[in-house]
């Protein structure tokens, strides 16, 4: 019988809580890290949960500060805060070896988490990884007027392709993000890594995943470029590839180095 997921809220000790849903099962478990302004109820998260539940494998999904059902204001969040949230959820809500699956910004955070907890992270799967996006991508896409407004007010609102509501961007998000850069130096994670990216991704160019691949020190790291796939990677073909790649990663993690 499939295990029944349990849910709760993780106290962060500063008056805020992270919402989470966890399915017990065997290890290595799977932990999903969502994207910028996404939440744990998205297509990829639920597909992974169903897949792991059917296999009897432990699974965790959660919402960062200011996202989904967690407390806090989105615009007050930073890469460092969300990195700390992921680390807190990993430490408090998982046990034993884990496979990290990160989508978009979650790919950046999952890679950082793999560095923070290398001894327990058995493998890493990223989907349209948005490593360093607040440094390399976001500022370059602002118009001169938007750049002036951000410098003057410390905040702007940008239209979203995925919502009718614009999302706020604060200068602090960009400034603080520099403390968590990945693509400027070697990334000393040595477990198996699989990176998926679509050639038609209009939000994060596939070259970002290629740069991450080139920085990783793992000897078992592969990039799969999917012709015509967009950033969301949530259609039937994208989900099927994600799940198949997860199973392949599980096999690689079990085989060990070499």
């Amino acid at each position: 019988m499939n295990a029944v997921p349990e849910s709760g809220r993780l106290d962060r000790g500063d008056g805020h809580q992270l919402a989470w849903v966890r399915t017990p099962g065997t290890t290595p478990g799977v932990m999903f890290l969502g994207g910028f302004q996404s939440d744990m109820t998205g297509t990829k998260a639920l597909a992974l949960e169903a897949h792991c539940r059917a296999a009897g494998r432990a699974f965790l999904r959660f919402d960062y500060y200011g996202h989904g059902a967690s407390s806090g204001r989105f615009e007050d969040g930073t890469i460092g805060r969300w990195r700390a949230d992921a680390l807190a959820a990993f430490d408090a809500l998982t046990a034993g070896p884990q496979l990290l699956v990160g989508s978009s910004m979650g790919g950046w955070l999952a890679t950082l988490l793999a560095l923070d907890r290398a001894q327990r992270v058995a493998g890493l799967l990223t989907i349209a990884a948005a490593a360093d996006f607040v440094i390399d991508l976001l500022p370059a896409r602002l118009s001169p007027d938007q750049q002036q407004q951000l410098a003057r007010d410390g905040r702007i609102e940008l239209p979203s392709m995925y919502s009718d509501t614009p999302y706020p961007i604060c200068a602090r998000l960009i400034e603080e993000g520099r403390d968590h850069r990945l693509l400027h130096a070697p990334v000393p994670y040595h477990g198996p890594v699989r990176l998926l990216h679509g050639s038609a991704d209009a939000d994060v160019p596939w070259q970002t995943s290629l740069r991450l691949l080139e920085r990783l020190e793992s000897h078992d790291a592969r990039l799969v470029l999917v012709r015509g796939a967009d950033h969301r990677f949530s259609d039937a073909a994208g989900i099927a590839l994600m799940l198949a790649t997860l199973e392949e990663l599980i096999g690689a993690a079990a085989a060990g180095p070499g």
Side-chain angles (χ1 to χ4, degrees):
M1 179 180 293
N2 291 343
V4 178
E6 56 182 346
S7 62
R9 300 181 70 80
L10 177 63
D11 189 347
R12 293 289 282 114
D14 59 356
H16 291 285
Q17 302 84 36
L18 303 181
W20 56 266
V21 178
R22 177 175 60 184
T23 305
T26 61
T27 59
V30 176
M31 177 177 176
F32 179 72
L33 294 90
F36 186 69
Q37 224 186 15
S38 298
D39 62 46
M40 63 174 172
T41 64
T43 304
K44 291 186 289 291
L46 297 182
L48 283 164
E49 181 179 70
H51 183 79
C52 289
R53 187 178 178 192
R57 187 175 302 282
F59 178 76
L60 173 68
R61 54 188 170 99
F62 75 103
D63 285 330
Y64 314 112
Y65 171 93
H67 287 68
S70 292
S71 63
R73 294 197 312 163
F74 170 78
E75 63 188 88
D76 293 332
T78 62
I79 299 301
R81 172 70 197 223
W82 298 326
R83 178 182 188 175
D85 287 343
L87 185 58
F90 184 90
D91 286 347
L93 300 170
T94 73
Q98 299 292 311
L99 301 166
L100 306 181
V101 181
S103 175
S104 192
M105 180 182 78
W108 183 4
L109 296 175
T111 307
L112 291 170
L113 180 54
L115 298 178
D116 292 334
R117 292 292 183 268
Q119 294 304 311
R120 279 221 291 132
V121 175
L124 176 63
L125 168 58
T126 68
I127 303 149
D132 297 3
F133 80 98
V134 300
I135 309 154
D136 295 340
L137 300 179
L138 181 58
R141 293 176 178 175
L142 300 179
S143 68
D145 288 345
Q146 288 171 325
Q147 293 175 11
Q148 291 178 5
Q149 181 184 354
L150 186 62
R152 182 183 68 244
D153 303 333
R155 182 184 188 277
I156 59 172
E157 290 190 347
L158 299 178
S160 171
M161 292 178 59
Y162 310 109
S163 170
D164 294 333
T165 305
Y167 60 89
I169 295 294
C170 294
R172 183 166 175 258
L173 175 68
I174 298 172
E175 294 161 2
E176 194 271 352
R178 297 188 180 100
D179 296 335
H180 307 280
R181 294 173 63 194
L182 275 177
L183 302 180
H184 68 298
V187 178
Y189 177 70
H190 299 96
V193 183
R194 303 292 181 265
L195 303 95
L196 306 180
H197 217 118
S199 69
D201 191 330
D203 296 308
V204 180
W206 60 264
Q207 288 87 350
T208 300
S209 282
L210 177 59
R211 291 175 64 199
L212 178 56
L213 178 75
E214 292 171 339
R215 291 297 190 183
L216 282 160
E217 293 185 350
S218 169
H219 293 297
D220 184 8
R222 304 174 191 172
L223 168 62
V224 176
L225 183 62
V226 182
R227 181 177 180 177
D230 63 14
H231 185 67
R232 303 188 77 171
F233 231 90
S234 293
D235 62 5
I239 295 298
L241 177 59
M242 176 185 70
L243 298 178
T245 304
L246 175 63
E247 288 301 314
E248 195 261 329
L249 184 64
I250 291 170

